[in-house]
Amino acid sequence: MNLETRSRKSQPISNRWWVRLWAVSAVLMMLGPSHLALAQDMEVLEELEEELRQAAREREAEKARQLELRLQAIDELQGEQGIYAPELQEAYADLGAFYLQSEDFDSAIAVYNDALQISRINTGLYSEQQMPLIESLIESNSRLRNWEAADDL
């Protein structure tokens, strides 16, 4: 699991651990493995590295589970109430926020556009209910440095 796939919130902490691990590993390699204490420190470092990997796997599994729950809720709403049900706007907005938090900006934009379409169908082209969606679209496009798309909103 590489560092780019981790959420923005946990990334600085993870980066610091990897930098520390790398620095300590480099020092230990320079001193040589002949020292028993250094060998034990390397074992501890390897255990810590494995714990970090395990924590990253657990975060990714939880993220996948949360995504699946959101997608399932949308499928259920579409099946029960139709593809333009007003309740879908909130479900899509929640999924878009999830993608935005996960820094998957392309997916967030696609989902926010779907929510905006549903809002326009149900409340008209210029309703105030669209404002949070438009703001989220602007943020997502800005994070991708897609200034033209952000300006068009």
Side-chain angles (χ1 to χ4, degrees):
M1 192 65 42
N2 64 28
L3 291 175
E4 289 78 26
T5 60
R6 295 181 187 189
S7 71
R8 179 182 55 170
K9 192 173 187 179
S10 66
Q11 193 170 4
I13 294 170
S14 298
N15 283 342
R16 282 183 266 166
W17 275 102
W18 285 106
V19 169
R20 287 180 185 161
L21 179 64
W22 176 81
V24 171
S25 297
V27 169
L28 291 175
M29 286 181 179
M30 289 183 343
L31 294 174
S34 61
H35 304 291
L36 181 59
L38 294 178
Q40 290 172 342
D41 288 344
M42 285 299 291
E43 288 176 19
V44 169
L45 285 173
E46 288 171 1
E47 289 173 12
L48 287 173
E49 185 177 29
E50 182 54 37
E51 287 177 22
L52 285 172
R53 279 194 222 115
Q54 181 62 29
R57 285 190 294 269
E58 289 171 4
R59 279 192 304 274
E60 289 301 314
E62 177 61 21
K63 193 168 136 180
R65 189 180 72 75
Q66 291 293 322
L67 177 61
E68 184 60 35
L69 288 173
R70 286 172 171 83
L71 292 172
Q72 186 178 19
I74 288 172
D75 285 343
E76 288 174 10
L77 279 171
Q78 287 177 336
E80 293 170 2
Q81 299 179 18
I83 60 172
Y84 298 116
E87 293 80 10
L88 282 170
Q89 179 181 340
E90 185 178 338
Y92 277 123
D94 180 54
L95 180 60
F98 177 81
Y99 282 132
L100 191 60
Q101 180 183 4
S102 300
E103 296 184 355
D104 185 355
F105 304 118
D106 290 321
S107 296
I109 289 168
V111 170
Y112 283 132
N113 278 323
D114 289 344
L116 187 60
Q117 181 69 16
I118 290 169
S119 177
R120 288 179 174 164
I121 288 169
N122 290 301
T123 63
L125 290 176
Y126 303 107
S127 71
E128 288 184 27
Q129 291 179 343
Q130 297 173 28
M131 290 307 295
L133 298 171
I134 292 171
E135 289 169 355
S136 296
L137 277 166
I138 290 170
E139 180 182 353
S140 298
N141 279 299
S142 297
R143 299 288 293 275
L144 287 174
R145 303 206 184 284
N146 189 354
W147 306 122
E148 188 174 318
D151 285 342
D152 289 343
L153 295 166

